[in-house]
Amino acid sequence: MRELNKQFMEIINQLEFEKKCEVELVKINMAKIGKYWPVNELGHIELEQLKLGMEELEKSVTKQMQKIFIESSNAPALDGDSSSNGGQADV
């Protein structure tokens, strides 16, 4: 049970780290957009297009985070299961 709690906490910490990375990436991207595409000079239609693009980016980043989360949550469980019976397969 302790091993499962340890793995759970590691996964939670990884998820928090990924969330912080996402926030920083959004900040960086917004700074780049402001530098190369002056947001103050955009019209309503361009701002709507930018908004849609940012929403798609957010969906993509979220999907990628979920994929990484699932992969990382499956890997420790497999290691933990094999070590509990001496690394041998159940017969």
Side-chain angles (χ1 to χ4, degrees):
M1 186 63 141
R2 286 183 184 175
E3 182 63 28
L4 291 176
N5 284 336
K6 179 183 174 189
Q7 290 175 359
F8 177 74
M9 291 307 297
E10 288 173 358
I11 291 169
I12 294 297
N13 289 337
Q14 181 67 28
L15 180 61
E16 290 299 318
F17 175 76
E18 295 294 336
K19 286 180 181 179
K20 289 177 183 177
C21 287
E22 178 188 16
V23 169
E24 291 303 314
L25 286 173
V26 169
K27 287 180 185 177
I28 291 168
N29 284 332
M30 290 304 292
K32 286 181 180 179
I33 289 170
K35 183 176 180 181
Y36 298 108
W37 193 6
V39 178
N40 295 336
E41 297 175 14
L42 297 178
H44 181 71
I45 293 172
E46 291 91 359
L47 288 171
E48 285 294 326
Q49 290 174 342
L50 178 60
K51 179 183 174 189
L52 291 173
M54 294 302 288
E55 288 171 351
E56 287 300 315
L57 175 64
E58 181 181 22
K59 287 177 188 176
S60 176
V61 169
T62 300
K63 190 180 279 187
Q64 186 66 22
M65 278 180 35
Q66 289 171 344
K67 180 181 173 187
I68 291 169
F69 177 74
I70 289 169
E71 289 173 356
S72 68
S73 66
N74 286 338
L78 294 174
D79 292 341
D81 289 345
S82 64
S83 64
S84 65
N85 61 4
Q88 298 178 356
D90 291 335
V91 180

